[in-house]
Amino acid sequence: MERNAFFDNAKVLLIFLVVFGHVIQPYIDGSAGIHTLYTWIYTFHMPAFIFLSGFFAKGFGNKGYIINLAKKLLLPYVIFQLIYSSYYYLIGKSNWLTDIFYPHWSLWFLISLFSWHMLLILFKRLPAYASLLVAILFGITVGYLAAIGHSFSLSRTFVFFPYFLLGYWLKEEHVMMLKRKSVKIVSVMVMVFIAVGIYFAPDINTGWLLASKSYFDLGMTEFGGVARLLVYATSTLMAASVLAWIPTKRNSMTKLGERTLYVYLLHGFIIQYFRAYDIFQVSSPLDVIGLAGVSLLIVLALSSKPVLVMSQPLIECNMTNMKKMVKSY
């Protein structure tokens, strides 16, 4: 069956925003505009990505699924955790040596993605609404537990799980309802309203959107659960609003939607190099546009066939593309 271009187009946009968000992160404290843009992106890009991951988890439970999933996610996690530790040491990053279960960079996503599939074993036995309610309660509750944080990606696993579960329960026809004209009109108002709100509330702690810290660390011990519930509502509205405007037709970039894992795992080497050696300086809106261009080039480069061929043994733990290349010669 032909892939639905909508989902690949969405994945391309979201992986670009992941890269762009990481590129501009060092400059958010020096500019209200960049801070607003960064926070605005983080209200939806990971929730939307996780939602799509859940949407494509509908085959969970088939024979060999868990073994294949461990091979696809846990083995690359261990490999890249070691590679990133070595790389951080080479570029002089102080926290290069960490526990194997304290994820470097964005590797938390691999552990959490595996864990979300495991949680489905229990949650898919519940009615959809009940399972979502329980998942949200878990996501709110873990914030009160100071011991749950970055290690094993436990905090993010529970906090982001409702988005994954929502994607699992929804069908394609439900998602396509976002393409209605009325929804698209409302979505624009939502995106603008949230952007304006962020601009005029610059003290918002972006840690709420990263989901890796307890309420105590975020400075809201008593009412942290209420704040997280508001974050859930905001992120869900923002993710839906952005997805409403994703093109449904194939274009020259659609194919890249099949390669987002490569970009996700590899872009950290480039971004960390930029940060270690202060490659860029930002002093005007044109500089931000330039960084968006750099981010696009990173996505294109890491999605290219040569990169896929060379990195496939590490990321997918097989050498299919490399064997094809050798045979072609």
Side-chain angles (χ1 to χ4, degrees), residues 147-306:
I148 294 182
H150 192 76
S151 295
F152 292 94
S153 192
L154 280 176
S155 179
R156 282 169 165 154
T157 294
F158 286 108
V159 173
F160 284 134
F161 181 56
Y163 305 115
F164 184 87
L165 193 58
L166 181 63
Y168 175 78
W169 284 121
L170 292 185
K171 298 179 180 179
E172 187 171 322
E173 53 264 35
H174 298 142
V175 180
M176 289 300 107
M177 291 173 65
L178 295 173
K179 308 308 293 181
R180 294 177 177 179
K181 185 177 180 180
S182 58
V183 175
K184 296 176 78 170
I185 293 173
V186 173
S187 71
V188 172
M189 293 188 288
V190 169
M191 290 187 286
V192 172
F193 177 80
I194 297 298
V196 172
I198 293 171
Y199 183 82
F200 286 103
D203 295 330
I204 292 176
N205 189 332
T206 55
W208 287 103
L209 305 175
L210 299 177
S212 61
K213 296 181 178 180
S214 69
Y215 300 148
F216 176 80
D217 292 330
L218 293 169
M220 195 177 290
T221 305
E222 295 182 0
F223 298 102
V226 176
R228 176 148 291 160
L229 193 59
L230 291 174
V231 171
Y232 276 142
T234 301
S235 294
T236 301
L237 285 173
M238 280 294 295
S241 297
V242 172
L243 290 176
W245 286 92
I246 298 296
T248 57
K249 295 182 179 180
R250 299 190 68 83
N251 56 62
S252 58
M253 302 288 284
T254 303
K255 184 71 174 177
L256 304 185
E258 303 175 23
R259 308 169 183 177
T260 52
L261 183 61
Y262 286 80
V263 180
Y264 189 86
L265 290 177
L266 297 174
H267 80 283
F269 296 106
I270 301 173
I271 304 301
Q272 291 295 343
Y273 181 85
F274 289 165
R275 293 183 182 183
Y277 296 101
D278 294 323
I279 301 298
F280 299 111
Q281 299 294 324
V282 175
S283 57
S284 72
L286 286 178
D287 292 331
V288 178
I289 295 174
L291 291 180
V294 170
S295 301
L296 179 59
L297 289 176
I298 291 173
V299 172
L300 293 174
L302 298 182
S303 302
S304 65
K305 193 63 178 289

Side-chain angles (χ1 to χ4, degrees), residues 51-111:
F51 167 80
L52 293 178
S53 298
F55 184 84
F56 289 106
K58 291 177 172 54
F60 179 76
N62 296 341
K63 185 178 180 180
Y65 194 99
I66 295 178
I67 295 176
N68 289 333
L69 198 67
K71 180 181 177 182
K72 182 180 179 180
L73 299 175
L74 297 185
L75 188 54
Y77 168 78
V78 173
I79 292 172
F80 275 87
Q81 182 76 352
L82 296 174
I83 293 175
Y84 268 109
S85 291
S86 302
Y87 182 69
Y88 284 176
Y89 174 76
L90 290 175
I91 63 174
K93 195 172 175 65
S94 59
N95 61 339
W96 66 273
L97 184 60
T98 65
D99 187 274
I100 190 67
F101 295 113
Y102 192 91
H104 276 309
W105 188 241
S106 50
L107 297 182
W108 67 268
F109 184 73
L110 298 182
I111 294 182

